[in-house]
Amino acid sequence: MATLTTSSKRPYHIIVFGATGFTGQFVVEEVARTCNEGPGGTFQWAVAGRNRDQLEKTLIQAADALCKPELKCVEVIVADVAEPESLAIMCKQGIIVLNCVGPYRFYGEPVVKACIENGAHCIDICGEPQFLEGIQLKYHSKAQETGVYIIGSCGFDSIPADMGICYTQDHFKGTLTAVESFLTINTGPEGGCGHDATWQSAIFGFADSASLRRIRRKFGHKPLPAVGARIKKRWGALFFNKEIEQYVIPFMGSDPSVVRRTQRYMHEEHKHSPVQYMAYVGIGGLFSVLKTLFAGVVFWFMVKFSLGRGLLTEFPEFFSFGLFSKTGPTRKQMDGTSFCLKFMGEGYTNGQDPSQGKPNATISTEITGPEPGYIATPITMVQAAITLLNEPHCLPNKGGVYTPGSAFARTTLIDCLNKHGIQFSLKKGQ
């Protein structure tokens, strides 16, 4: 395992790679806010990217936004995914690389490879199952050999969902067998939207869904056992949920994929009973339903053709009905936005045989937090890095490619998130 202490040869605890990107700039600000939480009370950090002038401009903007003029003196490292030698030089200088350069299917693998070859841990905020599972297939053994941790999906996709399942399991007195989650996003009077990079990840992810099936076949996994009653099947992809008082549809992000990988790891490595999981997202009332269905049909048709993908990429605001834009949300929009993720679980109390009869106990937990894409995501990413720095002994014994839940289940990450505005709470126990 790579050392978690700095040295003259490896002077930085954290390097923010892609610091000039839309998300990267907010990660820089979050690192600056929390740099007194590292080993020994502080950590050393740097920013990295292709353009020195833009990196320096990002630091000036962060210094002004946080009223911290000292940020203008943070070290700048020039590195480009197209230049492996520059990535190697960057990775040799840091303990952890926070990779903010996406879409990851195009730019992620060279960073992972450089981290493994040069002894730096890597944390990303990827929501692309093809990339996440492909990296696990290709690099898990190599990362184990070098003691490097590669921990993907450490943003809103998918720390709340993955750690939320861990939290719900920990608070269930018995065998938790099935969980449904329901996500709602609340915006203020200014409205809200996502950035174009997330939209592009969705376009190319759906267009290349066949590759995910090929990757999964190569793993050769046996199906996870369904302990207890099978999770209830919803009739149709759309239904009204009384808990959140909205119509909901299946959540199309990486959460189900990430949670399944964590549950497989926990079952195979620690003999934990796997939890069945379904994720849904609220879309509002009937008008929102019609708009979503129409946009979904158009999107599904257009991603199948290169011309359609080109149009979707060129005009994100038009084809997403304003949900995504090339400029992303304003700070005022972000300040007025929040999320709530509810978990509804069922299972069997201690002493009850899950193979006999229906579940006899339920549990409800909840995670609430600020705007998910550019406030909550930097918080979860940076707290994941700080947890790795402070509690390496609580992670799996060897390096490797891990999900957040498999990496951080035995750490205090949830407590850290609670202190930074992402609140985990038990709403109803058995």
Side-chain angles (χ1 to χ4, degrees):
M1 175 176 167
T3 178
L4 298 194
T5 57
T6 56
S7 66
S8 58
K9 291 184 178 180
R10 197 179 291 270
Y12 306 113
H13 292 94
I14 289 174
I15 296 173
V16 182
F17 181 52
T20 60
F22 190 82
T23 306
Q25 63 183 320
F26 296 110
V27 173
V28 167
E29 291 182 16
E30 188 61 26
V31 170
R33 287 189 195 96
T34 56
C35 61
N36 62 344
E37 298 179 16
T42 187
F43 60 75
Q44 304 300 315
W45 62 289
V47 295
R50 290 180 298 175
N51 188 299
R52 178 176 292 276
D53 291 341
Q54 289 298 317
L55 289 167
E56 291 173 350
K57 184 179 177 181
T58 296
L59 290 172
I60 291 170
Q61 290 173 339
D64 293 341
L66 301 178
C67 298
K68 289 189 171 188
E70 67 273 17
L71 295 182
K72 297 174 185 177
C73 299
V74 168
E75 187 66 31
V76 168
I77 301 170
V78 177
D80 189 333
V81 292
E83 299 174 5
E85 190 174 321
S86 71
L87 292 180
I89 292 170
M90 174 186 73
C91 291
K92 286 174 181 175
Q93 297 181 68
I95 295 171
I96 301 174
V97 172
L98 299 186
N99 185 17
C100 303
V101 180
Y104 290 89
R105 64 168 49 248
F106 300 131
Y107 308 117
E109 185 174 351
V111 182
V112 170
K113 187 172 183 289
C115 283
I116 292 172
E117 291 176 351
N118 296 282
H121 307 301
C122 183
I123 288 175
D124 69 43
I125 47 176
C126 179
E128 306 164 43
Q130 291 100 326
F131 174 80
L132 294 164
E133 297 186 32
I135 289 297
Q136 182 183 356
L137 179 68
K138 189 171 181 179
Y139 289 101
H140 181 66
S141 296
K142 294 177 183 177
Q144 281 190 318
E145 291 169 8
T146 56
V148 165
Y149 292 106
I150 307 296
I151 310 173
S153 55
C154 285
F156 184 73
D157 286 356
S158 295
I159 277 184
D162 207 20
M163 298 306 295
I165 297 291
C166 295
Y167 178 87
T168 306
Q169 280 183 293
D170 289 344
H171 285 78
F172 190 84
K173 298 171 183 174
T175 304
L176 182 68
T177 57
V179 173
E180 292 180 315
S181 69
F182 299 90
L183 170 66
T184 52
I185 306 291
N186 302 301
T187 56
E190 299 283 330
C193 68
H195 188 258
D196 177 52
T198 304
W199 175 249
Q200 287 189 42
S201 296
I203 292 168
F204 293 106
F206 279 100
D208 192 30
S209 57
S211 70
L212 183 57
R213 293 191 290 272
R214 290 195 295 270
I215 290 166
R216 288 174 174 171
R217 282 197 295 270
K218 288 179 181 178
F219 274 109
H221 290 316
K222 295 180 180 178
L224 278 175
V227 178
R230 288 193 173 274
I231 194 166
K232 65 182 93 170
K233 295 290 184 183
R234 302 286 187 174
W235 294 107
L238 171 75
F239 62 94
F240 187 81
N241 179 260
K242 293 180 181 178
E243 280 291 328
I244 64 173
E245 297 182 333
Q246 291 187 29
Y247 285 94
V248 303
I249 59 174
F251 181 66
M252 304 304 288
S254 62
D255 288 357
S257 160
V258 172
V259 168
R260 277 195 298 271
R261 288 169 59 211
T262 296
Q263 293 303 310
R264 179 173 295 281
Y265 171 83
M266 292 298 189
H267 176 65
E268 294 178 350
E269 297 295 325
H270 301 291
K271 310 306 177 188
H272 287 190
S273 176
V275 175
Q276 303 168 71
Y277 177 61
M278 294 291 290
Y280 301 95
V281 59
I283 57 173
L286 283 174
F287 177 71
S288 295
V289 168
L290 294 174
K291 190 168 69 170
T292 302
L293 289 176
F294 177 74
V297 169
V298 172
F299 181 88
W300 191 256
F301 175 76
M302 293 184 71
V303 295
K304 296 179 181 296
F305 309 99
S306 59
L307 176 61
R309 291 192 294 273
L311 290 170
L312 289 170
T313 302
E314 187 65 28
F315 305 105
E317 200 161 357
F318 176 79
F319 287 107
S320 70
F321 286 92
L323 287 177
F324 295 92
S325 74
K326 288 183 178 290
T327 57
T330 65
R331 289 189 184 251
K332 196 173 274 190
Q333 286 177 318
M334 288 188 281
D335 289 341
T337 302
S338 61
F339 78 88
C340 178
L341 185 59
K342 293 180 180 288
F343 299 86
M344 312 299 295
E346 63 181 22
Y348 300 78
T349 54
N350 288 319
Q352 183 79 13
D353 186 353
S355 66
Q356 302 295 322
K358 296 180 179 180
N360 68 336
T362 60
I363 187 172
S364 173
T365 61
E366 184 177 280
I367 306 174
T368 57
E371 189 279 330
Y374 313 104
I375 299 180
T377 285
I379 291 171
T380 56
M381 185 186 213
V382 173
Q383 287 305 312
I386 291 172
T387 301
L388 174 53
L389 285 172
N390 288 332
E391 305 174 49
H393 55 284
C394 296
L395 271 70
N397 290 333
K398 295 180 179 179
V401 179
Y402 292 100
T403 60
S406 55
F408 297 118
R410 297 181 178 181
T411 69
T412 63
L413 176 58
I414 290 175
D415 294 333
C416 295
L417 293 173
N418 279 330
K419 293 174 184 175
H420 287 81
I422 297 177
Q423 300 292 323
F424 290 66
S425 59
L426 174 66
K427 307 307 289 185
K428 186 183 74 173
Q430 292 102 302

